[in-house]
Each structure stands twice: as structure tokens, then as C-alpha cells.
Amino acid sequence: MTDTAHLEDLNERQRSAVTFGRPDTAAGLTSDPLLVIAGAGTGKTQTLSHRAAHLVLSGVDARRILLLTFSRRAAEEMTRRARGICDAALAARGRRGQAVSLPWAGTFHAIGARLLREYAPALGLSPNFSILDRADAADLIDVCRQHLGLALRTRRFPRKDTCLAIYSQVVNRRAKLAAVLETRFPWCVAHHDALKRLFAHYTERKQHLALLDYDDLLLHWALMMREPGLAAGLAARFDHVLVDEYQDTNLLQAEILRGLAPTGAGLCVVGDDAQAIYGFRAADVDNILGFADQYAGARVVRLERNYRSTQAILDAANTIMADAARRYDKQLASTRGAGLRPRHIIAHDGADEARHVIEQVLARRETGVALKQQAVLFRNAHHANEVEIELVRRDIPYRKYGGLKFLDAAHVKDLLALVRWAANPANQIAVFRALQIVPGVGPASAQRAFERLEADDWSLAKLGRQPAPRQADAEAWCALVDTVAALADGAGGWPATLEPAAEWLKAQLPDRYEAPTTARAGDIDDLVRIAARYRDRDRFLTELTLDPPAATGDHNDDAHLDDDYLVLSTVHSAKGREFDSVYLLHVADGTFPSEYAARSPADLEEERRLLYVAFTRARNVLEVVSPLRYHVTEQRRLGDRHVYGAISRFMTPAVRACFSARDAGTPVDAPVSAAAPASLRAALDVGAAARRLWD
């Protein structure tokens, strides 16, 4: 091919990746294995789309190109771009009307389902198998759980969603059940044998009913590739296999790719080891880090020219990754100039952090940056509790991605149900929910109890004298009635009367929700602290009822959103997106990195990559906030209500040197280090003096 107009908008390294290969008279273009390390904002989608288009324009049959992605939207976007590139190039050559498509473009799961239906007779599958979504799969596991009598064991057995999560980890990690339980679900180790029986029964039940779950789509495809005849036939159907987001593949997907391209010929994978953040979904970063070892003669192309962020932000991101234990060397370089240095903000506590972030958001809005172009990011959804409540108070619309909104979380709604019942004994919705917090109380028992309560003129005293429902925990039942009665009486004053209710609810968490429940207990304590901002119970309920987060934050109903809204998101959910301004919350040890990441070096490295992803979402402004104080849940009466936090271990001196530092509340345009004149700043090296004390 001599016409290269479709390559003109690519930089040199992108062009190298797109055109990699050798002309072949029969196949159009052949190539050795190719790994494209595409740093954040370097045009990954553009490169892979152009690669697909270039193959077609070089004479490769589009039906012999397999494009695998992780989302349907990504597959559609790449197909659309490749088609547009091909159409423009063919039109320039006078070959109009030859529309190009990529019939084998889709997600791993979608392509797997398509192939399994086609090969079903050879695999012993019914061609008319049905596919279970996650919710249906969890329900089927629950049916199997009940059938085996596991739910009736004297020792609390994991609930359906936890069972499905364990099953999924075993399948996708190609690991033994014992290893998965020990490393990721230690509280379930004692149930090893029972879980093994459950998963065997679940598998048999699916096969009997001609059902496949999401994990089966990959598992059965991988099993198919272990049969030499089937693997060879399927591999012969495709000359080129293109894979997006390769750093997010798991061991099953890597096995499938090895079956499709045993030598790596025609295999092109694109990804970024620095953005491998889905280990909790069984993604294995070793797939991309070990690609060159798996496929001899592999070519590695690094994309380092960043089109998104300013260089000041990229300097911080580059420095974060420089300390990674294993990585591909790359230095992101901006095409947009130096820009403003990112800021590291030291906040007094979570409330101070929330006020500061919202003030900065509003200040940026006044300069013409829409709320939609700003994002508040966090490691875990509950880290945004203070920000979310403050947004409601200030009537600022928002969308939250990743996790439920704080006031919509089930355990938070449980506590609100207790308060609403105390405020209005006839509130059927609140009473119905609150009664079912008691272990053994289901909808039918709750309905009968509510009817008794109504017949007794809403008297909690009479309800307390009634025997507990037959299957209910009698002690928890009596404690619930006493708790609501104390809330209704209000003798201890507000919000002191709420604390016993919160403690009772936290005691029910292990039976009501799957472990670990630390984060849920923290949410409950957060709500108690927030309640202290209101002068009484009625004002607390009124404020949250008349102007709840759902009024402006519910992203499931765009009709209730203003034209502009602030984005709240976990870092995981923000991957692949970009914003003018990013505010990153709770960058402190124990929250970022998560306290649970300390269990292994690999988990800590993933936390480092997660911070890198957060930094590289920002185009122009990046603020990292570290609160000094964190409220605790175990020292209500015997000690202080807070502990002091430590700045994240990832914010090393080298990383902090990329930031300007200041306290929350300092005006944005205040000079840094303005507290002392220059003549005094060099007068004494206190660090050296302190070190000499120990010489």
C-alpha cells in the first residue's frame, strides 16, 4: 500500500505500532507479536483503531480480524473509528460504496458466547443455553445453598453474593479454593468443604438447566482451547488478534489468547502496566509484564506523548511510578506545556476537607470551568460521605460513580429507619425495614408485628411485652424495641440518644451483611457525627428528607439532574475518563493505600498504580488532600474521638517536590512558604541538628 494519508494524524511511535508487520501476498500483512505500552492519555484508542483500519487497507480480510475489548462501548467506538478511517481512505482512492466492518469485534464475554454457541455440539453444550447475569447467578447459588441445607448451619454461612465472588475468583484465577479463601476471603476458610460442595452442585445445576454464567463464558472458551483439534481450527479462523486494555486480562483470558496465537504471530495487545488496578476482579498484571517472555521475538512500542495533562501533573505521575517494583520504563511528556503545579492540601479533618474541596470547585466554576469538568475522586465510596452531605446542604447537584450514595447505602438507611420509626410510629416503611434488621424476622413476620403495633395504638411498650416472632432472635428483638423507645423518648438529648441506636445496629451488621463490616460501621458513625450538626431529631430528618442526595445525585434518572453537576467517583470507576480539575480525597496511609493492601507487596503495588490513575485523570488542576485527623469507632467513652493520620507512603519527598503544599483554607493565590523572609529560611537546618542528637 502506498497511500498513507490515514497515518498523517499519528505521531511517530503510534505510526510505528499501527504499521508494524510485513506485507504478505496471501494474508495482506503478517506480524510478530506486538505489545504497545500506551501511557495514560497517549492515544491508545486511536492507535488500536488505526491498527485495525491499516490491516484492512493493507489487504487483510476484515472477517479474519478479532478485536477483543472489555466493554461493548469500547468495541463499538473502535469499530466506528476504524470504519471511518477505511471509508475516508477508500473514498480518496475512488472506491466509494465499499463499507468496511469488523464482524468479530466485541468483549471477551460476548465473543466467547458467540463461539460457544457455534461450537456447542462439539463441546457437549446445548446450542440454546441461557446466560445468567450476576444477580441471577447469585440467586441460583442461593437456591443451591438452601437445597444443601447450608443456610441452616449453626455457624453463619456466607451469603449468596459472597459465595458467587469466591466462585468467580477461583475460576478466573485458575486457583485452588483453599488458596483463594486464605488470601482473599479469610473469614470463610472454615467453610472450605461446604463451599466446595456448593460450587459442585451449582455447576451441576447449571449444566442440567442449560445455563452459563459470565465466568463460564471464559472458562468454557479456555477449556475449548485446551483441545488441540478445536484450538487449531479456531486459531486458523483469525490472522490477527487485537486486544485492548491487556493489563486487565486474567489468567483465563491469557490462556485463550495463547490458544488463538500460540507463537504470538498476528497478536497485538495494547495496555499500560501502570494502570493495572483490577486485581480484585482477578486481573493479573503479570500478563502484560511478562508478555515478552511468553512470546519470543515480541516487539514493544512505548507511547509516551501525552495529549491530556499538563507536564506539571505528569511529573508527579511519573515520579509515583518511578518507585514501582516492576514496570515498563516510560516518561510521559505533555504536548500542552508546563501548566500549574498540583497542590497537596493538609486538611484538619474530613469536614475541613469537604469544605475546602467544595470551595475550590465553586471557585473554578466562577472561572468558567463547568461542574461536569470537575471530579472529586476517592479510594472507597464512603470516603466521600462528608463531601456528599456538604453538597446537599449547599444545593450543588452531583453524580456519584462507584458504590452507592451515602444515604442510599442499606446500612445507613437501616439507621435512618430507626430514627424515622421513633419520630413517627405509624411510618410503615420505616417500621417494616427496622423490624427486619432483627435476625430471623422476614417480611411476613414484620407485617404481622406491624399489624399488632397498629392494633395497640402504636405502643412500643405493648410491642415489647409481646413474644418475639418464632424464628427471631429474641434478645435482638427486645433490644430493638428498647432502642426505638429510647430514641422516641429523647431523654438523653440529641444526638446522644442516637449513639445507642447506632451501637445496636453495628452489633447486627455481621448477621445482616457479609464480612468485613468495618466500612459499614464507619458509615454509621459518620451519620451520627453528621447528625450532631442539627439541633434536634426533627430538623435532622426534615433536612435529609426534603433535600436528599437523590434529588440531585441520582444518576439513574437524568430528568432530576440540572444541566451541570459535579462528578463524584471512585478512582476505579474514573479510569478511562478525564476532567479539567481533579480533587483526590483521603490520601493517607490506611485509606490510600487501603489498610487491606498491606497484606502483600503485590497489593501495595496495585495501590500505587491506582494513585497514578487518579493523578492522570486531570488535565489542568490536580489537588491531593490529606486530612490530619480521622474519627474512630472504638473510643467513644474511654478516649479521644479521633486519631491522627499519616500522609500516604506514596507521597514520598520526591513526589511532594512536584507539588505546592498548603493548608486547607489558605486562599488559592496565597504565596507558598510566605511565613518567613528568605534571610531566615536558610539560617538553621533543624533536621541536621535533630540528627546530631543521636550521633
Side-chain angles (χ1 to χ4, degrees):
M1 188 180 93
T2 57
D3 188 353
T4 59
H6 64 289
L7 305 174
E8 290 179 356
D9 56 345
L10 302 175
N11 64 44
E12 182 180 352
R13 291 194 183 177
Q14 289 174 331
R15 191 176 300 115
S16 174
V18 167
T19 60
F20 179 70
R22 301 175 298 277
D24 185 288
T25 54
L29 189 74
T30 60
S31 72
D32 294 326
L34 172 65
L35 168 62
V36 181
I37 297 297
T42 58
K44 169 185 65 69
T45 300
Q46 181 183 37
T47 301
L48 199 56
S49 302
H50 275 76
R51 172 74 176 170
H54 181 75
L55 292 174
V56 174
L57 294 172
S58 298
V60 177
D61 186 341
R63 294 169 296 181
R64 298 184 63 80
I65 298 174
L66 176 61
L67 173 60
L68 296 168
T69 68
F70 278 84
S71 71
R72 180 178 56 84
R73 180 177 298 177
E76 292 174 348
E77 174 64 13
M78 290 187 188
T79 300
R80 183 189 65 78
R81 291 194 188 190
R83 181 185 298 118
I85 295 166
C86 289
D87 289 348
L90 292 174
R93 301 177 192 179
R95 294 160 57 185
R96 295 183 179 277
Q98 298 184 10
V100 174
S101 65
L102 295 172
W104 285 97
T107 65
F108 273 93
H109 291 88
I111 297 296
R114 183 175 169 184
L115 290 172
L116 291 177
R117 287 201 191 279
E118 184 176 334
Y119 285 82
L123 302 174
L125 294 174
S126 168
N128 298 319
F129 64 78
S130 298
I131 300 174
L132 298 168
D133 62 19
R134 290 292 183 191
D136 289 341
D139 287 341
L140 181 58
I141 275 193
D142 204 32
V143 169
C144 297
R145 183 170 164 269
Q146 299 288 340
H147 177 76
L148 295 175
L150 298 176
L152 303 176
R153 289 159 62 99
T154 55
R155 194 169 184 177
R156 184 172 59 96
F157 194 76
R159 298 177 71 175
K160 61 182 183 180
D161 292 320
T162 300
C163 292
L164 182 61
I166 295 170
Y167 171 85
S168 183
Q169 289 286 321
V170 171
V171 170
N172 289 291
R173 290 184 183 278
R174 296 180 58 195
K176 296 292 186 182
L177 173 60
V180 169
L181 293 178
E182 183 178 352
T183 57
R184 298 194 170 268
F185 300 88
W187 61 93
C188 300
V189 167
H191 302 292
H192 174 275
D193 294 344
L195 285 167
K196 196 168 185 177
R197 278 199 301 132
L198 172 63
F199 297 151
H201 185 63
Y202 172 62
T203 301
E204 292 170 0
R205 191 67 180 161
K206 285 186 295 180
Q207 293 172 357
H208 177 70
L209 299 173
L211 301 172
L212 297 182
D213 60 28
Y214 281 174
D215 299 317
D216 290 331
L217 298 177
L218 297 182
L219 175 62
H220 287 56
W221 189 2
L223 293 173
M224 175 182 170
M225 303 308 292
R226 295 176 192 174
E227 204 288 317
L230 291 174
L234 185 54
R237 296 178 60 167
F238 302 106
D239 294 325
H240 293 271
V241 179
L242 312 181
V243 185
D244 185 29
E245 303 284 13
Y246 186 64
Q247 78 279 352
D248 295 333
T249 55
N250 59 38
L251 291 177
L252 273 181
Q253 290 160 326
E255 181 179 348
I256 289 168
L257 294 174
R258 282 195 296 272
L260 290 170
T263 66
L267 178 62
C268 170
V269 302
V270 180
D272 182 8
D273 59 295
Q275 297 187 70
I277 60 173
Y278 292 112
F280 67 96
R281 294 182 186 169
D284 194 329
V285 69
D286 285 340
N287 288 343
I288 192 168
L289 290 174
F291 184 85
D293 296 328
Q294 295 172 17
Y295 298 100
R299 169 80 176 277
V300 179
V301 176
R302 292 172 174 81
L303 304 184
E304 298 174 295
R305 187 177 299 177
N306 180 285
Y307 297 91
R308 175 189 300 158
S309 306
T310 60
Q311 190 60 51
I313 292 172
L314 295 182
D315 287 343
N318 288 334
T319 308
I320 280 282
M321 289 308 300
D323 292 328
R326 297 175 63 207
R327 63 189 175 91
Y328 285 99
D329 289 329
K330 60 181 179 296
Q331 286 291 312
L332 298 182
S334 177
T335 61
R336 301 187 51 240
L340 297 172
R341 292 180 72 192
R343 288 193 290 267
H344 183 204
I345 308 301
I346 304 300
H348 181 65
D349 55 16
D352 193 29
E353 176 183 58
R355 284 191 295 270
H356 168 79
V357 167
I358 292 173
E359 286 168 3
Q360 300 308 304
V361 166
L362 294 177
R364 291 289 292 169
R365 181 174 177 268
E366 290 304 310
T367 66
V369 179
L371 293 177
K372 284 183 183 179
Q373 291 300 314
Q374 303 185 64
V376 179
L377 304 185
F378 31 86
R379 173 63 180 83
N380 294 315
H382 67 274
H383 292 165
N385 288 352
E386 298 272 12
V387 170
E388 202 166 344
I389 294 296
E390 192 70 15
L391 287 169
V392 172
R393 293 181 64 189
R394 298 197 188 204
D395 195 29
I396 299 174
Y398 68 94
R399 272 187 182 175
K400 189 175 184 182
Y401 299 88
L404 289 170
K405 294 179 291 299
F406 176 51
L407 295 183
D408 281 353
H411 49 287
V412 173
K413 295 181 75 166
D414 288 345
L415 183 55
L416 288 174
L418 299 179
V419 181
R420 286 171 174 145
W421 181 4
N424 178 11
N427 187 332
Q428 183 175 5
I429 302 301
V431 176
F432 198 69
R433 183 184 189 96
L435 290 173
Q436 291 183 79
I437 298 173
V438 176
V441 176
S445 299
Q447 182 62 36
R448 288 192 294 270
F450 180 81
E451 290 170 355
R452 288 204 309 269
L453 189 62
E454 183 178 17
D456 290 333
D457 198 27
W458 316 112
S459 170
L460 286 167
K462 291 182 179 180
L463 181 65
R465 290 194 293 269
Q466 294 281 349
R470 187 163 54 90
Q471 300 293 333
D473 182 324
E475 183 178 348
W477 173 270
C478 293
L480 168 65
V481 176
D482 292 341
T483 296
V484 175
L487 265 173
D489 180 71
W494 181 261
T497 52
L498 186 57
E499 291 188 12
E503 293 303 319
W504 177 84
L505 180 58
K506 285 191 290 184
Q508 313 310 312
L509 290 177
D511 287 320
R512 189 156 171 79
Y513 302 100
E514 286 302 327
T517 56
T518 305
R520 296 182 190 273
D523 287 344
I524 291 170
D525 287 313
D526 278 344
L527 187 61
V528 173
R529 289 193 297 107
I530 290 166
R533 301 177 186 174
Y534 300 88
R535 68 169 181 256
D536 55 42
R537 181 189 65 200
D538 292 338
R539 176 60 63 90
F540 170 67
L541 290 175
T542 299
E543 292 275 349
L544 293 183
T545 302
L546 292 180
D547 195 11
T552 53
D554 187 355
H555 63 268
N556 294 317
D557 185 1
D558 286 345
H560 291 97
L561 285 171
D562 294 342
D563 290 337
D564 197 15
Y565 51 83
L566 181 65
V567 175
L568 272 60
S569 176
T570 61
V571 181
H572 285 100
S573 297
K575 186 173 176 292
R577 304 187 66 186
E578 60 182 65
F579 306 92
D580 175 272
S581 307
V582 166
Y583 310 90
L584 185 59
L585 306 180
H586 276 36
V587 183
D589 257 19
T591 54
F592 215 139
S594 165
E595 59 183 314
Y596 299 109
R599 61 190 175 190
S600 76
D603 288 339
L604 277 175
E605 285 302 300
E606 182 159 322
E607 293 288 301
R608 178 192 306 281
R609 297 191 293 267
L610 191 63
L611 191 60
Y612 168 89
V613 169
F615 282 12
T616 54
R617 299 312 94 198
R619 289 196 297 266
N620 296 310
V621 170
L622 172 64
E623 287 201 3
V624 170
V625 189
S626 299
L628 289 175
R629 304 199 313 172
Y630 289 84
H631 290 271
V632 296
T633 61
E634 302 298 330
Q635 300 183 22
R636 286 297 188 196
R637 306 195 185 283
L638 301 178
D640 202 354
R641 291 173 177 260
H642 66 269
V643 295
Y644 286 95
I647 293 172
S648 171
R649 69 190 70 185
F650 299 138
M651 296 295 291
T652 63
V655 174
R656 292 204 301 271
C658 300
F659 286 75
S660 60
R662 64 187 182 85
D663 294 334
T666 305
V668 174
D669 56 355
V672 178
S673 302
S679 60
L680 292 180
R681 287 205 295 271
L684 174 65
D685 184 346
V686 292
R691 289 193 297 272
R692 284 195 293 271
L693 293 176
W694 309 102
D695 288 345

